[in-house]
Amino acid sequence: MRGTMVLFLFMIVFLSAVTTSFAATVTYDHRALVIDGKRKVLISGAIHYPRSTPQMWPDLIQKSKDGGLDAIETYVFWNLHEPVRGQYDFEGRKDLVSFIKLVKEAGLHVVLRIGPYVCAEWNYGGFPLWLHFIPGIEFRTDNEPFKVEMQRFTAKIVDLMKQESLFASQGGPIIFSQIENEYGNGDIEPYYGNRAKPYVDWAAGMATSLNTGVPWNMCQQKDAPDPIINTCNGFYCDQFTPNSDKKPKMWTENWTGWFLSFGGAVPTRPVEDVAFAVARFFQLGGTFQNYYMYHGGTNFGRTSGGPFIATSYDYDAPIDEYGLIRQPKWGHLKDLHKAIKLCEEAMIATDPTITSLGPNLEAGVYRTGSGLCSAFLANVGTQSDATVNFNGNSYKLPAWSVSILPDCKNVVFNTAKINSMRTLSRFISQSSEDVESFSGWSWVNEPVGISSQNAFMKLGLAEQINTTGDKSDYLWYSASIEIKGNEPFLQDGSQTALHVQSLGHALYAFINKKLAGSVKGSSGNAKVALEVPISLVTGKNTIDLLSLTVGLQNYGAFFDLKGAGVTGPVQLKGLTNGSTIDLSSQQWTYQIGLKGEEIGLSNGGSSLWISQPALPKNQPLIWYKTNFDAAGGNEPLALDLSSLGKGEAWVNGQSIGRYWPTNNAPNGGCVSSCNYRGSFNANKCLKDCGKPSQLLYHVPRDWLKPSGNILVLFEEMGGDPTQISFATRQIGSLCSRVSESHPVPIDIWTSDQEAAKKAGPTMLLECPSANQVISSIKFASFGTPGGACGSFSHGKCSSKNAISIIQKACVGSRKCNIGVSIATFGDPCVGITKNLAVEASCT
Ligand code: GAL
């Protein structure tokens, strides 16, 4: 009877657990967010749902959870959800509710940054373009029409979340929300004068009045009014303090890398520095930090901001653009998260006591009355390693590193000592047989100049964004000029120059329907000026200027008013006698967008496609189409578009984004190996100088069918589509370098403290996929090896038997552990701290 009763009670508890979720209260105090009465140390990471596909979401979320995240953060993208005023769209990649529910199913929290201004390298900072056309509107200031719209959208999102019971107060996963974004930055708020503060206060009050039941934040907003928490964004936030001792120290954007621009080099941020920044933050009293980005993803379609933000938004994040974990970044941060969690009880119980251990050496200690003690020991010097004395023990602290001691005694983690292995991987274009799976090409010429019924005329030159409303990247400006045989500037060989000035972002000029010249701006300076020699004929001459935007401005005071397009002057300059004809204020004919856009060529339909052997190549303004079968398997796919110029690509009607493989990074400014020691900035660790900023373009698997896929390209400048190829990622090598002074792998600490105290440093190698084994050891040295993964070399000191020991332990297995000690390898150089460096292959 008793047994039945217990079973019955158990059933009730079980059933209610699976059918309802319990509401949680989320509040905060000066230490932390408080969930159901308990302070929390929270590790969060940003994944922007529209920068991947619904098919990718579960795996991205699982990899985030496996990486030790407690929460997923995302912005909400207004222009995606309300493309037309009053018409909402939450389908497919825009399905915010499904994304949040998936995070909930994985057992993680959600941080929802509603904005609705988001910056985010997103087109127009997330604002819909129609907002700009509301009479009397001024963005992000104390302006009634703006506030009405901002409140309406914010409330719309909050209501949607409430309807779906997604706030923690309703049993959902959302524990924290953001209003506005970095408005308080020194290059933003001051420019809005005395209407800024009323706006900040209004936004705070408006958000609070929506009664979400969870706290709100404003990032980079020193004066955020109560109860809004002001939070920090940056590469480091350890020195940040909130504006009240009733608010916790929170870091909403820890930039794991940086964004890529077309025409820029590829930014990277070493994981030793990311880990250092995180550990310093928690050492000095922080309790919430969010990686921006944890998965960056892809700017599909025309979503990238700018100008000139590239299609890849990889960000050097722990999960790469394609959804694969990036090692050792992901793994080292995972170890860091475990180390921090071992300190959580002490951290939430008290404030840290900060003491100096010497120049550049600092201890942060969380010691409770009940005998808990966790410590973070930092060496913030950039040059020399140090030995410190702490609690009667001596600790070696490498320069620019933090050691974590969850029991104030044993070092379980040091930010500069990476136990996680590195993987060397690269995209390999598929062999030529596979390339032939593109079954023939057809094309349509995009007419030069005006071709649409919707063209219109206007006196003078028009600003582009006001004209197109961003319906398209393209705006044609067309004019004609009559040349009489006796014009003075035509004498002497009929050479004339066309001079065009434009606010950007790029321009093609056609004279008498032939390309005369082109020019592009850069992320630093979007403006362009074209000066090209042209040949005019006696009689009528046509001038067709194709002006284009490459992502609308997303940051800056009054970013919304930054114009684009040919605002003039447009002049014909005679080269012989210096005379000039100014065409700026004459009658121009305008066409918004391309003919091919108007008739919907991007999904491959239309009877206009020409398939003949003489495929035009390396000519401007051509639409191309082909069919292809998808390569088997489910590894991520990229299109290698190196043979093209600039344009946009669609797979089965879905835009994979703008492509621009001819836009190269400058030659200088990159480093071959990056020194993580010392303050990081976005230009510190650039790579691929002098090379195209982006050659590979992600084609999500869920946009593909097994066969009969349609690829459409619109090529602006000229290229050879027959040379493009698909590429898949191949893991080249696994590498690891672990020294005798490395901490024991953190997993031993988390599972068995006693075993961990006895264990020594250990190298772990593991093939990334379950069906692979370690097939060969390319390099192994125990001693003083030099070089980096892929180019290890033996040092003066090297154990003879390292390679055979590793071979025996690893070859044929998916994973292996090797003790990094003289017990395993013997001692090739007594008295010197030795490293084990290994490079292995998996097949
Ligand atoms: C921050 C902004 C983010 C993003 C980031 C750079 O200032 O809040 O939205 O733009 O910079 O990636």
Side-chain angles (χ1 to χ4, degrees), residues 278-545:
V278 173
R280 283 287 285 160
F281 179 73
F282 287 109
Q283 173 181 25
L284 300 183
T287 47
F288 171 97
Q289 83 95 35
N290 173 62
Y291 295 108
Y292 187 100
M293 302 295 297
Y294 197 72
H295 168 256
T298 310
N299 293 313
F300 296 115
R302 300 171 55 245
T303 60
S304 70
F308 300 105
I309 301 295
T311 294
S312 168
Y313 199 63
D314 178 83
Y315 223 88
D316 198 27
I319 303 177
D320 74 11
E321 172 173 11
Y322 296 87
L324 302 172
I325 60 174
R326 170 171 275 127
Q327 291 288 46
K329 207 167 212 174
W330 181 88
H332 191 48
L333 295 175
K334 171 180 176 153
D335 291 348
L336 167 66
H337 304 150
K338 287 188 175 164
I340 291 167
K341 285 299 163 99
L342 288 171
C343 306
E344 180 168 13
E345 287 308 313
M347 289 170 72
I348 57 174
T350 178
D351 285 3
T353 306
I354 314 297
T355 51
S356 170
L357 302 173
N360 292 326
L361 301 167
E362 199 169 57
V365 181
Y366 296 90
R367 189 189 300 276
T368 73
S370 60
L372 285 175
C373 185
S374 294
F376 293 72
L377 307 183
N379 179 353
V380 301
T382 59
Q383 304 300 321
S384 3
D385 300 350
T387 303
V388 299
N389 218 294
F390 173 72
N391 268 356
N393 293 312
S394 150
Y395 298 91
K396 282 218 159 95
L397 286 179
W400 204 254
S401 82
V402 180
S403 282
I404 302 180
L405 295 66
D407 56 358
C408 280
K409 185 160 182 242
N410 291 288
V411 175
V412 304
F413 184 86
N414 174 275
T415 56
K417 294 185 174 174
I418 302 178
N419 274 330
S420 175
M421 62 183 193
R422 180 178 294 271
T423 46
L424 281 189
S425 59
R426 57 193 178 113
F427 272 94
I428 311 271
S429 288
Q430 287 169 9
S431 64
S432 50
E433 304 94 74
D434 288 324
V435 175
E436 279 158 23
S437 64
F438 288 120
S439 55
W441 288 89
S442 49
W443 80 93
V444 177
N445 285 313
E446 175 66 32
V448 172
I450 306 303
S451 60
S452 160
Q453 301 297 315
N454 298 323
F456 57 93
M457 291 198 286
K458 190 178 171 297
L459 272 187
L461 293 165
E463 191 282 323
Q464 181 157 347
I465 300 167
N466 278 300
T467 308
T468 63
D470 199 35
K471 295 260 171 343
S472 165
D473 280 2
Y474 303 97
L475 179 63
W476 281 107
Y477 296 71
S478 297
S480 60
I481 173 165
E482 276 292 316
I483 299 292
K484 301 190 196 85
N486 56 359
E487 303 268 351
F489 67 94
L490 269 175
Q491 287 162 10
D492 222 6
S494 314
Q495 273 287 295
T496 305
L498 170 69
H499 174 82
V500 183
Q501 253 168 272
S502 157
L503 296 177
H505 307 151
L507 179 75
Y508 299 92
F510 297 84
I511 298 292
N512 296 327
K513 308 290 173 188
K514 292 253 160 351
L515 185 63
S518 69
V519 64
K520 61 176 190 290
S522 68
S523 58
N525 182 10
K527 290 188 183 168
V528 293
L530 180 84
E531 175 105 21
V532 280
I534 55 170
S535 302
L536 296 178
V537 294
T538 307
K540 188 181 168 195
N541 292 271
T542 57
I543 302 171
D544 294 295
L545 305 177

Side-chain angles (χ1 to χ4, degrees), residues 83-160:
V84 176
R85 194 176 180 188
Q87 288 176 26
Y88 296 99
D89 183 353
F90 291 94
E91 297 294 313
R93 273 188 302 128
K94 308 171 195 130
D95 192 346
L96 173 61
V97 167
S98 292
F99 179 76
I100 294 179
K101 288 185 174 169
L102 286 170
V103 179
K104 180 186 173 176
E105 276 167 36
L108 300 181
H109 302 297
V110 168
V111 173
L112 194 66
R113 300 171 82 201
I114 301 178
Y117 167 70
V118 296
C119 193
E121 290 68 71
W122 192 264
N123 197 46
Y124 215 43
F127 284 151
L129 234 287
W130 53 256
L131 199 62
H132 169 70
F133 295 102
I134 291 177
I137 203 159
E138 292 169 84
F139 289 7
R140 303 179 80 198
T141 190
D142 189 15
N143 167 275
E144 219 35 54
F146 177 74
K147 291 193 296 186
V148 167
E149 294 300 318
M150 173 165 163
Q151 172 157 13
R152 188 178 54 72
F153 182 72
T154 309
K156 165 87 192 173
I157 294 300
V158 167
D159 287 347
L160 179 63

Side-chain angles (χ1 to χ4, degrees), residues 48 51 75 77 113 117-122 125 178 180-183 185 219-220 233-235 252-253 255 257-259 292-293 309 313 315 554-555:
H48 296 157
R51 284 176 157 145
Y75 280 132
F77 299 90
R113 300 171 82 201
Y117 167 70
V118 296
C119 193
E121 290 68 71
W122 192 264
Q178 176 174 302
E180 249 294 343
N181 190 77
E182 294 197 335
Y183 189 69
N185 278 356
C219 57
Q220 298 286 91
N233 294 347
F235 290 114
T252 33
E253 289 182 24
W255 302 318
W258 199 244
F259 56 82
Y292 187 100
M293 302 295 297
I309 301 295
Y313 199 63
Y315 223 88
N554 57 270
Y555 184 74

Side-chain angles (χ1 to χ4, degrees), residues 719-787:
D720 181 354
T722 64
Q723 297 304 306
I724 70 169
S725 57
F726 273 102
T728 50
R729 175 98 65 151
Q730 266 144 42
I731 300 284
S733 291
L734 305 181
C735 295
S736 183
R737 185 207 295 268
V738 173
S739 83
E740 289 177 298
S741 70
H742 267 50
V744 170
I746 190 93
D747 285 325
I748 312 190
W749 280 108
T750 47
S751 60
D752 184 347
Q753 305 261 334
E754 287 315 309
K757 282 177 197 158
K758 286 183 211 125
T762 306
M763 179 179 284
L764 308 173
L765 296 173
E766 179 173 1
C767 295
S769 63
N771 54 12
Q772 287 179 318
V773 291
I774 296 172
S775 51
S776 73
I777 305 298
K778 295 189 191 160
F779 179 91
S781 174
F782 179 70
T784 54

